[in-house]
Every structure is written in C-alpha cells, then in structure tokens.
C-alpha cells in the first residue's frame, strides 16, 4: 500500500488537482495498484482563516507515513507576502531535502510548439535543476535599507556535496534512460568561484561515465541554442536559478506552462510532485485551466513509485487526447478543464 498526500493549494491548483486525482484513481483501478490518497486543505484559505501555512509536525508526518506528495499550486492575490506558499513549498523542498527538481521538456504534439522547426523528435529533453541551494537559500541582507547608499547582498551558495549529488543524479538518469549526452549550464566565465566548482565537479563525474557525452555551456548561450537547436539536448543539469529560468523557456517550447510537469526528488525518500505552473489567478474559477501538466505529473509520480506501465498508459492517453484535439483553449481546443481531464481518463480506461 502506497500513501499519497494530495494538497490542491490555491486557484487553478485546485481545479487541475481534481483532474489529476481522477486520472490517478482511474489508473489505480485499471492496474490494481494499492494507493491510499489523503487530502490536505493547506493553502491561502486556511492561512487567512487560521494563520497556519505548513502545520507543525508536517515534515515528520510525511517522512514517516507517506511515499509521495502531490501539490497543485500556491499563490493568492489576498496574501501579498506569498508567505503561505513560501512556507509550504519551500518548507517541503528544503525540509525534506528534495535536491532534484526534475523537469521534462517533451513536445506532445507538433502543433503546440511556437518554434517553426520544432517537432516531437527534436524537443525531448529533461532538466535536472539543483533544488536546495544556489541563489534561493535566502542568504544576504540589506544595509542602510531605503537610503541612497543602500547595500543589498544576495549570496549564492554552492557546496561540493550539493553540486556533486545533482550532477551524479543527471548522469545516472542518462545512463538508466539510454540518453547519450549530459549538458551543464553555468556562468563559470564570470562567476569563477561558484560555477568554477560546478565545472570541476562536472568534469570529475563525467570521467566516470565514458559512455556519455559530457558537454558544458554558458547559460546565455544555452538560452539561445535551446531555441535555435533544441535537438542537441538530452539531459541538462544546472543550478537552482538557471534551472528556474531555463525550464520556463522549456515549457514555452513544449506548448506552455499548462503542459509542463515536475518532480522534486530525493531518491529513496518521500518526494513531491507538482505541475510547473502557478495558481493563475487570471484563469482561476473559470474552468479553463489546462490539466495536462498536473496529469503528466501524476505519471512522473507513478514512475517514481515503481509503476512504469501505469505511467506510460497515462502519457499515451495524454498524447492521444492531444492528437484528437481534445484539449483546453490554451492548446487550441474548446474543452473545459473537467472535459479535458475526462478525455484523458477515458483513454486511460480504454486499453
Ligand atoms: P502562473 O503559472 O500562475 O501563470 C502564468 C501564465 O500562464 C498565466 O497567464 C496563466 O493563466 C497561464 N497558465 C498557468 N497555468 C496554466 C494552465 N494550467 N492552463 C492554462 N494557462 C495556464 O504564474 P504567475 O502568473 O507568475 O503567478 C500566479 C501565482 O502563482 C502567484 O501567486 C505566484 O506566486 C504563484 N506561483 C506558484 C507556483 C507554485 O505553486 N509552484 C509556481 C509559479 C507561480
Ligand atoms: Mg519559475
């Protein structure tokens, strides 16, 4: 029996999670997988009502009692500080030491990419984004805040341990999935200390994988090449901030934020799965959000839990629904969130 926590969150997070859960339950029933889903109402409503974001003891509970966590999205215009989202998502990512943010960039249908030369063969790679250090550790401060002489310092933390484990994860994934190349994105020509460390560790780990082509690029060049020649990428490994930026570009290549999926992993431990997109207040409550990113995220979760056949079934169902044009308006279709989810669930059950 696997236990999965479901935290829909805010805005369209709630709407797409409803469809993701439906797809998960349909797949569970088709494959006879023993899953227990436990729902949590954490998010802006609860924060505004009870001043609780990530409840006391949550990390211990997840470590002890759960195999995976699925979240929709967090963010609400009424919580200007974004405090609850930072507490919940940041708390889980850092607190559970989920050092791998895995984000696949795979075009589902040639119609979806804005690239003239883009197609399903040349847009198919995965990004390994470091998820626990870099620029996002909140190290720094303001001196003489608000004064003309104000000094603002934001430090980037790169540890050998942290750099080594994400680069190793990328190479191990490449070998396991028959990928032939790993590309590092850094800015070691300017950020010589921190990113110099990334280059050195990359070279050392690469020497243990002679069967895999190791390639290092500056991040600005990669941003350009990802548009001009995305076919060269198979596995990309990079730091927290560059991964954040490059995967939004990646999401655009594959048809927008509505289809992008992600996993926050610590292999062997309870891990967190979430669509890449946020709570989209501009679309919330209108029933038009695309559920594909969330449902594709369910496939990643089933893969992680050891059900690859179930994961492939969901992926195929999504591709078939896309081929049939049974999609939401962001992908040129006419279906609502619930209809698009139902179209995928129907196909999961068909085989
Ligand atoms: P966003 O991802 O919510 O929206 C960006 C744009 O993409 C919007 O035009 C939105 O309508 C569209 N979009 C996003 N998901 C979509 C979907 N499934 N189907 C169709 N269209 C979709 O990012 P934004 O606007 O920067 O942030 C909105 C709120 O979400 C903020 O409070 C932000 O802090 C939060 N956020 C939360 C994240 C998370 O929980 N992991 C990630 C990113 C933002
Ligand atoms: Mg982002």
């Amino acid at each position: 029996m696997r236990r999965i926590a479901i935290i829909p969150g805010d805005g369209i997070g709630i709407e797409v999670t409803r469809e993701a859960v439906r797809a998960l339950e349909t797949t569970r029933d088709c494959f006879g997988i023993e899953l227990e889903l436990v729902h949590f109402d954490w998010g802006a409503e609860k924060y505004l009502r009870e001043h609780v974001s990530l409840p006391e003891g949550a990390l211990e509970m997840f470590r002890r009692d759960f195999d995976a966590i699925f979240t929709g999205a967090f963010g609400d215009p009424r919580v200007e500080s974004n405090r609850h989202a930072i507490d919940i998502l940041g708390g889980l990512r850092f607190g559970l030491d989920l050092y791998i943010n895995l984000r696949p960039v795979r075009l589902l249908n040639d119609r979806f990419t804005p690239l003239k030369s883009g197609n399903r063969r040349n847009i198919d790679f995965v990004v390994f984004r470091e998820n626990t250090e870099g620029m996002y550790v909140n190290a720094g401060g303001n001196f003489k805040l608000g004064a003309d002489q104000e000094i603002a310092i934001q430090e980037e933390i790169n540890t050998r341990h942290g750099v080594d484990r994400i680069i190793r994860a990328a190479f191990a994934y490449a070998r396991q999935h028959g990928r032939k190349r790993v590309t590092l994105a850094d800015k070691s020509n300017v950020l010589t200390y921190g990113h110099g460390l990334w280059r050195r560790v990359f070279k050392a780990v690469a020497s243990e994988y002679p069967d895999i082509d190791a390639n290092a690029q500056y991040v600005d060049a990669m941003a350009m090449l990802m548009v001009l020649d995305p076919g060269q990428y198979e596995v990309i490994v990079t730091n927290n901030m560059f991964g954040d930026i490059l995967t939004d570009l990646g999401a655009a290549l594959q048809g927008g934020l509505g289809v992008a999926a992600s996993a926050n992993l610590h292999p062997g431990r309870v891990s967190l799965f979430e669509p890449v997109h946020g709570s989209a207040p501009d679309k919330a409550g209108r029933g038009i959000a695309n559920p594909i990113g969330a449902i594709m995220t369910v496939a990643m979760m089933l893969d992680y839990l050891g059900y690859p056949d179930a994961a492939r079934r969901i992926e195929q169902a999504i591709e078939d629904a896309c081929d049939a044009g049974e999609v939401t308006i962001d992908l040129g279709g006419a279906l609502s969130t619930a209809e698009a989810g139902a179209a995928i669930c129907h196909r999961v059950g068909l085989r």
Side-chain angles (χ1 to χ4, degrees):
M1 174 65 81
R2 307 296 199 136
R3 291 190 93 201
I4 298 173
I6 306 285
I7 318 175
D10 307 322
I12 66 162
I14 298 168
E15 300 166 43
V16 299
T17 298
R18 202 175 291 133
E19 303 315 314
V21 165
R22 198 136 62 117
L24 182 58
E25 289 176 341
T26 305
T27 314
R28 174 193 66 188
D29 297 346
C30 284
F31 285 80
I33 301 169
E34 295 204 37
L35 291 182
E36 186 189 353
L37 309 187
V38 183
H39 294 256
F40 295 90
D41 66 347
W42 306 347
E45 276 307 330
K46 187 180 178 75
Y47 180 71
L48 290 168
R49 197 173 61 230
E50 302 167 22
H51 304 287
V52 173
S53 51
L54 185 67
E56 189 108 20
L59 295 176
E60 295 71 22
M61 174 188 69
F62 285 138
R63 277 195 216 104
R64 194 182 55 231
D65 301 332
F66 285 84
D67 298 291
I69 305 163
F70 180 97
T71 64
F74 299 90
D76 187 303
R78 294 171 299 169
V79 185
E80 218 172 299
S81 64
N82 209 27
R83 187 71 253 162
H84 70 298
I86 295 168
D87 285 355
I88 296 170
L89 274 179
L92 293 174
R93 283 181 193 155
F94 285 93
L96 298 173
D97 196 31
L98 304 175
Y99 66 93
I100 301 167
N101 186 199
L102 176 59
R103 296 185 163 186
V105 175
R106 190 161 68 86
L107 186 61
L108 294 168
N109 190 292
D110 289 358
R111 296 193 315 275
F112 299 164
T113 186
L115 290 190
K116 256 190 295 186
S117 57
N119 58 54
R120 289 187 48 171
R121 260 179 311 104
N122 65 15
I123 300 176
D124 182 7
F125 57 89
V126 295
V127 179
F128 277 73
R129 168 191 174 192
E130 203 294 318
N131 212 24
T132 52
E133 42 187 61
M135 284 279 263
Y136 293 9
V137 299
N138 197 29
N142 295 87
F143 180 48
K144 301 184 184 174
L145 184 68
D148 287 347
Q149 306 84 349
E150 177 170 348
I151 298 169
I153 294 176
Q154 196 85 45
E155 294 188 288
E156 185 181 279
I157 307 297
N158 299 279
T159 69
R160 181 176 281 273
H161 170 69
V163 173
D164 186 78
R165 65 182 181 172
I166 188 71
I167 291 174
R168 276 185 192 285
F171 276 95
Y173 176 96
R175 183 174 278 171
Q176 210 185 341
H177 291 81
R179 302 284 197 154
K180 293 286 173 241
R181 173 182 289 168
V182 176
T183 307
L184 169 71
D186 67 30
K187 192 70 185 171
S188 56
N189 48 341
V190 182
L191 310 179
T192 53
Y193 313 118
H195 294 198
L197 174 65
W198 279 81
R199 282 267 160 143
R200 283 181 279 121
V201 173
F202 185 71
K203 203 167 161 208
V205 175
S207 72
E208 297 174 27
Y209 288 84
D211 49 319
I212 290 167
D213 176 25
N215 179 25
Q217 294 181 345
Y218 300 132
V219 67
D220 41 351
M222 183 180 285
M224 177 182 70
L225 291 168
M226 205 180 266
V227 171
L228 295 178
D229 179 26
Q232 69 175 281
Y233 300 111
E234 297 187 36
V235 177
I236 291 170
V237 62
T238 192
N239 65 45
N240 207 336
M241 181 169 67
F242 293 170
D244 188 6
I245 300 167
L246 290 171
T247 54
D248 266 32
L249 175 51
L253 297 183
Q254 65 184 139
L257 280 169
V259 299
S262 85
N264 301 267
L265 309 171
H266 187 129
R269 296 198 197 167
V270 58
S271 292
L272 170 71
F273 299 80
E274 51 168 351
V276 172
H277 64 76
S279 57
D282 58 326
K283 299 212 168 103
R286 297 165 57 197
I288 56 171
N290 188 343
I292 288 181
I295 297 175
M296 195 58 100
T297 298
V298 166
M300 292 183 81
M301 183 166 75
L302 287 169
D303 241 337
Y304 182 75
L305 293 173
Y307 305 105
D309 295 346
R312 297 294 88 73
R313 175 83 66 94
I314 293 179
E315 288 171 2
Q316 191 61 51
I318 291 174
E319 283 178 33
D320 292 348
C322 290
D323 286 347
E326 294 176 1
V327 290
T328 46
I329 46 174
D330 55 305
L331 294 179
L335 300 193
S336 68
T337 306
E339 289 166 344
I344 293 165
C345 288
H346 173 67
R347 288 184 156 77
V348 167
L350 274 184
R351 273 148 225 277

